Amino acid sequence: MRRALVAANWKMHGSKALVDELVDRLVAGLGQGLNAVDIAICPPAPYLQQVQELARGSELLLGAQNVHGENSGAFTGEVSAAMLADFDVRFVLVGHSERRNLFAEDDLLVARKFAAVSGQGQIPVLCVGESLQEREAGQAETVVQEQLEAVLAHCGVGAFADAVIAYEPVWAIGTGRTASPEQAQAMHASIRGILAQHDKELAEKTRIVYGGSVKADNAAQLFAQADIDGGLIGGASLDATAFIQICNSVS
Ligand code: 13P
């Protein structure tokens, strides 16, 4: 039985005032009933400590949106996994499509980040997903397979023991156009199948979450699919009421 995960990716949104209000409301609204689901908040890096302090004593877990592949060094502007560990960060997104597309992160860089996160004992959340053009060309599964195999080749299947995979079709991110439960389930099953070729037991245990326009009114249907183990939530996670409803949609 895989434990569900619902993670909030706030992206580059927020302010001290908004973080205060949002986390207070989440702590109040998610105080109970978290037994079946891990809930993580990935704020922009400057607010990690603020979220850590506000969430202390609650079951909310902390996540980060990005990381550098080295633990320290002359990398102006970057943040290492070791630094994130100082703030009790448990989950770190790697390979989000916005990082791949807007910041030119390639598979090797993503794999290095993945390794750095595992190396700190944190949980990498490897984001994979195809563009609309790739889906329409019938290449969705191949593209996702390549993204996954690149990290498997660099890090080894053992590094996935505790990892999470987030399937986020690029065409569904921030567009209001969600993958249908059937489309998402098919890709999740395909991802699990790829993992199973490397390690059957591990594939059964690996959490695969869906991201891309998950809202309060479509979460339950998505999360009810056999291979969908929760969600990675962008826009709707900035609305406490909607995010709480999404968390409560895990059956
Ligand atoms: P939206 O939920 O806003 O579509 O964003 C999804 C996402 O990119 C989460 O990482």
Side-chain angles (χ1 to χ4, degrees):
M1 187 64 181
R2 297 180 294 269
R3 188 175 166 81
L5 167 69
V6 179
N9 176 8
W10 288 355
K11 308 194 179 183
M12 198 174 73
H13 295 290
S15 62
K16 275 169 107 169
L18 186 116
V19 170
D20 272 342
E21 192 200 321
L22 203 46
V23 180
D24 277 349
R25 290 187 58 194
L26 295 179
V27 168
L30 293 167
Q32 292 161 1
L34 294 190
N35 287 339
V37 50
D38 284 341
I39 297 173
I41 310 293
C42 308
Y47 302 118
L48 282 169
Q49 184 168 11
Q50 191 185 350
V51 176
Q52 180 195 29
E53 284 166 8
L54 290 165
R56 189 164 284 137
S58 80
E59 290 185 59
L60 289 180
L61 302 168
L62 201 50
Q65 298 176 17
N66 185 29
V67 70
H68 192 272
E70 300 291 330
N71 266 334
S72 64
F75 302 107
T76 301
E78 293 293 311
V79 172
S80 73
M83 293 169 184
L84 297 176
D86 263 347
F87 297 94
D88 296 333
V89 166
R90 292 276 308 281
F91 297 89
V92 184
L93 308 186
V94 296
H96 192 282
S97 68
E98 287 150 19
R99 302 292 322 168
R100 292 179 192 260
N101 296 333
L102 303 174
F103 301 94
E105 292 193 4
D106 61 16
D107 283 335
L108 181 60
L109 186 65
V110 171
R112 287 197 179 123
K113 292 182 177 206
F114 186 104
V117 172
S118 317
Q120 282 296 323
Q122 295 155 333
I123 298 178
V125 179
L126 173 64
C127 304
V128 294
E130 81 287 357
S131 68
L132 184 59
Q133 203 185 7
E134 289 161 342
R135 175 157 286 264
E136 286 176 345
Q139 295 166 346
E141 298 204 348
T142 315
V143 167
V144 167
Q145 174 161 18
E146 278 170 11
Q147 291 170 339
L148 189 53
E149 295 281 6
V151 181
L152 281 162
H154 185 85
C155 302
V157 69
F160 279 72
D162 220 11
V164 173
I165 296 170
Y167 170 55
E168 298 205 300
V170 179
W171 47 272
I173 294 177
T175 59
R177 183 179 167 189
T178 319
S180 69
E182 295 74 25
Q183 280 174 320
Q185 164 58 25
M187 186 62 87
H188 282 230
S190 159
I191 291 169
R192 204 177 300 287
I194 295 161
L195 283 176
Q197 285 168 15
H198 293 263
D199 185 328
K200 220 159 176 256
E201 204 178 315
L202 180 140
E204 278 311 306
K205 289 190 191 147
T206 302
R207 293 185 282 186
I208 308 175
V209 301
Y210 169 80
S213 297
V214 177
K215 309 283 178 213
D217 62 5
N218 60 23
Q221 263 192 309
L222 286 159
F223 298 169
Q225 304 301 308
D227 288 291
I228 301 186
D229 306 312
L232 181 53
I233 322 300
S237 73
L238 292 161
D239 175 335
T241 306
F243 188 66
I244 290 167
Q245 277 175 12
I246 291 169
C247 293
N248 287 330
S249 302
V250 174
S251 49

